[in-house]
Amino acid sequence: MPYSIWKEVHKANHRLRPSLLTPLLTHGYHLLGMKMANGIVLDKPGKPNYRTPASFRIIVLRETDSKILERLSALRLASATSSLGLLHPNQCGSQAGLGCFDAVATLTHEVLLLQAASFIVSTLFLDVKGGFDNICANKLANILTKGGVSPYLVAWIKSFLSKRQCRLFFHGARKIFCPVAVGTPQGFGFLLFFLCFI
């Protein structure tokens, strides 16, 4: 069901959607139907040949219901991680009101401060390749539990990350659903990815 329909439903009755989704969070359960995704395989432009998987990009399309529930959960998790101090104070990604500009401003401030004190300053940038693909549900659950995150939210995240399935659409041909053993969808996974390193 597209977002446009859910927007109209929300306008007509703003309590309906939360009343349907809140029990799933409360009981720590993500419906199996919400864990099934379609992966559209697209050619990366300008590749010399298309004989290797690196020559393609997969765009994953998920159920609208699942994306709405993920957003609600991400907001709750972001609030919990902030109040429990689970993320570094300078963490900008997945934090409400903070973004790339804030990260650059913080870095610039620290560099200028150290240079003013006659220190030699250098910066190291890391890009963790495949980070979203390697999130382990059990390890993440242990981190969140030790950090004091509510058990219902930890249970829902474990359910969300387990028994996921995806089928690929390659050049118009539809494949069968296959299990996805590790990783997370990137939208919600951004916050989960950072939590894996605390």
Side-chain angles (χ1 to χ4, degrees), residues 123-157:
T123 304
L124 174 66
F125 294 95
L126 298 174
D127 181 10
V128 182
K129 186 174 183 180
F132 296 105
D133 303 332
N134 295 293
I135 292 175
C136 173
N138 289 328
K139 178 183 175 186
L140 178 62
N142 288 336
I143 291 169
L144 295 175
T145 301
K146 287 178 185 174
V149 174
S150 298
Y152 83 90
L153 195 51
V154 175
W156 182 86
I157 290 169

Side-chain angles (χ1 to χ4, degrees), residues 1-9 63-68:
M1 211 181 280
Y3 278 120
S4 57
I5 292 177
W6 284 122
K7 285 180 181 177
E8 294 304 315
V9 169
E63 292 291 333
T64 305
D65 287 349
S66 180
K67 291 165 85 172
I68 292 170

Side-chain angles (χ1 to χ4, degrees), residues 40-59 171:
I40 312 301
V41 182
L42 302 175
D43 300 350
K44 289 183 181 177
K47 292 290 181 181
N49 65 65
Y50 291 90
R51 296 182 183 151
T52 65
S55 301
F56 301 92
R57 172 179 290 114
I58 299 176
I59 305 297
H171 288 203

Side-chain angles (χ1 to χ4, degrees), residues 140-189:
L140 178 62
N142 288 336
I143 291 169
L144 295 175
T145 301
K146 287 178 185 174
V149 174
S150 298
Y152 83 90
L153 195 51
V154 175
W156 182 86
I157 290 169
K158 276 189 76 170
S159 177
F160 171 76
L161 292 175
S162 66
K163 298 180 182 176
R164 299 196 71 84
Q165 296 184 55
C166 186
R167 65 179 169 186
L168 299 179
F169 286 73
F170 187 69
H171 288 203
R174 183 174 65 189
K175 306 298 181 184
I176 62 169
F177 279 105
C178 295
V180 179
V182 295
T184 178
Q186 199 162 340
F188 185 45

